[in-house]
Every structure is written in C-alpha cells, then in structure tokens.
Amino acid sequence: MTLDSDPIWTALPIPAFLLDAEDRIAAINPAAELFMNATIKTLREVPVFDRLAVDAALDEAFSRVRSNHAALFINDVAVSAGMRAPVECNIQIAPMNDQAGHVLLLVSPREIAGRLGRAHSVKTAAKSAIGMAEMLAHEIKNPLAGITGAAQLLSMNLRNGDLELTDLIVAESRRIVKLLDQVEQFGNLSPPNCKAVNIHDILDRARKSALVSYAASMTIQEEYDPSLPPTWADADQLMQVFSNLIRNAAQAAGPGGGTIRLRTFYDLSLRLRHPDGSGVPVPLQVEIVDDGPGLPPDIANDVFEPFVSGRENGTGLGLALVSKIINDHGGWIAVDSVPGRTVFRISLPVAPKPQEDET
Ligand SMILES: Nc1ncnc2c1ncn2[C@@H]1O[C@H](COP(=O)(O)OP(=O)(O)OP(=O)(O)O)[C@@H](O)[C@H]1O
Ligand SMILES: [Mg+2]
C-alpha cells in the first residue's frame, strides 16, 4: 500500500481509515494508530466495526456514500476504540472514486473544537464582566450622590477634627464616581466611524496633549515612516488608544521621567487570521516603546483583560479599552516587555482606495 508512505496521509492530524468494499481496514494513518492504540500490522483486513464502536447507524451511511458517490458528515457521535472510554467525535465519510467500494473514514475527536469554544467563552465572560460592572456603575451613582450630599450638609455644623472626616467621605466618593465614569465610558464605546486617516496626525495630537499634561516629565521621540499610506480608522478612538499607551508609559516611568519612542513602519507580511482561515493584511505598524521598568511579571499575560492593574489606584480599564478599539478596527495589538524596553505594537489595515470607496 503506497498510502503508508504518502507524506500527506502520515501528516494528517486526524485519525483516518481507508476501508475496502467490505468495511475492512485497508490502511490507517499514524493518528488513527494512536487513536486505536494499535498498529496497521495488527489491524489490516480487520473489519473496522470489530475494533471501533460507533454510536450511529454507520452501515446505512456507508451504503449511501457508496451508492451516491458523495461525502457524508455525521456530527456528535460517541466513538470508542477497544477498551477506551467513548470519545465525542465528528465523522466524515468520503468515497474513493478510483478504488471501487473503498471509502475514507475520518474521525475527529471534538476535544479541539471544545477547547476553541472555551477560549471563546472566556472572551464573552470578560464582556459580561464589563456589562455587569456597567450596570452596577449606573446603580451606584445615585446613592453615592446622596451620601456626598448628606456629608456636605453635615459638614456645615462640624468643627475642624470632624470636618476632616466629612471631607474624606466627599473626596473618596468623588474617586468612586471617577472610576464609575470610566466603566461607563467603556460600555458607551460606539462602533468606530472610519475614514481614511493619517496615523502621524493622530500620533502628533496624542504626543502634544500628553506633553502638556500626564507625560510632562517624559521625552517623546518620533520615528515616522513618512511614506506610510492612510489607515481606515476613527481618529478620536485611535487618539484614545495612543493617549492610553503614552499615559501608561509615563506612569510606569514615574516622576523621574523617561523616553518614549513613537515608531511607524510598513510590514506587509503581517496578516490577521480570521476563524474561517481567511487572512486580512494589517501592514501599518505603530510602536509605542518606553524605557521604563516593564510590565509587572505577575500580570504581564493579562494586561489586556479588564480590571487588571499593577498600579495603586489603577482601574485596569485602559488596555482593555485599547484592545477593544483595535479589535473593532480589524487590527491587532501585542506587547513585548522586558525591564528597560516595553513595546506595544499596533498593526492596522490600509484604507481602501478612494474609487472602491465610492461604490
Ligand atoms: N508601558 C508600561 N510599562 C510598564 N507597565 C505597564 C505599561 N503599560 C501598562 N502597564 C501595566 O499594565 C497595567 C494595566 O494597564 P491599564 O492601562 O489597563 O490599567 P491602569 O493603567 O492600571 O488603569 P487605567 O488605565 O484604567 O487608569 C498597569 O497597571 C501597569 O501595571
Ligand atoms: Mg492605563
């Protein structure tokens, strides 16, 4: 059987069985050997259903495949090999048109699909955590306004020592309101209103406003590739992205200050993979590089999750917002951080050509 030395057959990560016209095993690939816990030597010519118990009417499926010469898919069936506990699988049966009566049987355990499902549910969990927080934010604001008002009324009849306490109530309440505003802002984010925009204009705006406020102690260098084509983006939302990243870098550097580099360049090799396997190029690269202490190691893998913060008084919403905005733009964000060099890299698509825009 030449199939055993076929590189595609041996590389196929799904258990595959070639069956003859009487449903006897003619060949199995290495993945199937693993699944069956037996080698082809011991399995050749053995009727497949002597070794494989399938919780579905496969006889009928096989005869339909053979008579219609068309492939057939059966999902969610329990398959067990020998003494092993049954595994939930998807089954595909295809006719082998050059070998009369032969069929190809693929058995894909659903473990992999299940794992993908879980990854998805983590994302939705984060989403609902935000939804929950938004609802709470809304509900907490009213009683909080009552508490602040009452404290202010009380303070009118109080002396110094006690006044300090009511001031504390008012100040701390303001802090909570600020936090709640941030949570609400996250929920209110509308879908981006995209136009062709020059990234350098937005970076410039972010740099200038940073230098007169939260990044006053920082040096910000520009390393732009002036030939960069426009990107397809909501300028205000991108401004929020860059401001958040510059602010984080400035906060990490501390009062002593440091240097931030804003880099742009073109890299056509980067593509964003969609779940269906298609790829969209995201060739516009923006890097915000700082020379600060780097991400705290204990949260380094989770900084894009909401409410993950390494700062006292941090809400941990900045990077969650950044990653949501970049996602909504069909872009990609990644971070690479060691002490002395932290790089946030954003990859964005190019704006469509104007003539395509008109149609
Ligand atoms: N450039 C950086 N250098 C070092 N650590 C960083 C940097 N950027 C982010 N971090 C770490 O990642 C954490 C999460 O950042 P994020 O912006 O999401 O939240 P935050 O800054 O703590 O709060 P918020 O932005 O909501 O006020 C920060 O608290 C900080 O510990
Ligand atoms: Mg932040």
Side-chain angles (χ1 to χ4, degrees), residues 182-327:
Q182 252 166 310
V183 173
E184 283 187 329
Q185 182 201 355
F186 198 104
N188 288 340
L189 193 68
S190 47
N193 177 13
C194 289
K195 294 191 174 63
V197 294
N198 182 336
I199 290 185
H200 299 142
D201 291 346
I202 307 173
L203 280 170
D204 249 15
R205 258 171 67 198
R207 182 180 64 94
K208 283 187 182 135
S209 85
L211 282 175
V212 296
S213 50
Y214 46 83
S217 59
M218 304 294 286
T219 308
I220 304 185
Q221 297 171 351
E222 297 164 285
E223 294 170 25
Y224 297 162
D225 171 357
S227 69
L228 223 58
T231 185
W232 191 242
D234 184 316
D236 290 335
Q237 291 191 4
L238 274 196
M239 171 83 184
Q240 265 184 299
V241 165
F242 299 143
S243 302
N244 263 301
L245 294 176
I246 295 174
R247 181 187 319 214
N248 279 349
Q251 283 165 340
T259 304
I260 299 172
R261 292 190 296 139
L262 307 177
R263 286 185 71 209
T264 64
F265 56 100
Y266 199 78
D267 183 349
L268 197 53
S269 65
L270 279 174
R271 279 169 172 273
L272 197 63
R273 289 259 160 251
H274 288 308
D276 66 358
S278 65
V280 178
V282 283
L284 303 185
Q285 314 300 323
V286 184
E287 286 185 351
I288 286 92
V289 187
D290 73 72
D291 57 359
L295 297 177
D298 53 327
I299 58 163
N301 292 327
D302 305 315
V303 286
F304 292 111
E305 296 294 325
F307 307 117
V308 171
S309 173
R311 292 190 301 114
E312 214 176 309
N313 293 334
T315 37
L317 283 174
L319 288 178
L321 184 74
V322 163
S323 99
K324 182 174 192 309
I325 292 176
I326 296 300
N327 255 311

Side-chain angles (χ1 to χ4, degrees), residues 107-168:
V107 177
S108 350
R110 282 177 43 89
E111 245 178 29
I112 300 168
R115 236 182 274 142
L116 288 179
R118 270 199 294 285
H120 178 75
S121 69
V122 171
K123 261 195 174 162
T124 36
K127 232 182 178 173
S128 62
I130 294 267
M132 184 75 188
E134 262 181 79
M135 233 167 61
L136 268 178
H138 193 76
E139 291 305 317
I140 293 173
K141 270 180 156 179
N142 284 334
L144 203 57
I147 293 172
T148 318
Q152 280 167 333
L153 278 179
L154 262 181
S155 69
M156 297 201 293
N157 301 320
L158 292 179
R159 287 172 203 288
N160 283 349
D162 293 335
L163 260 181
E164 251 172 52
L165 294 178
T166 48
D167 285 351
L168 188 70

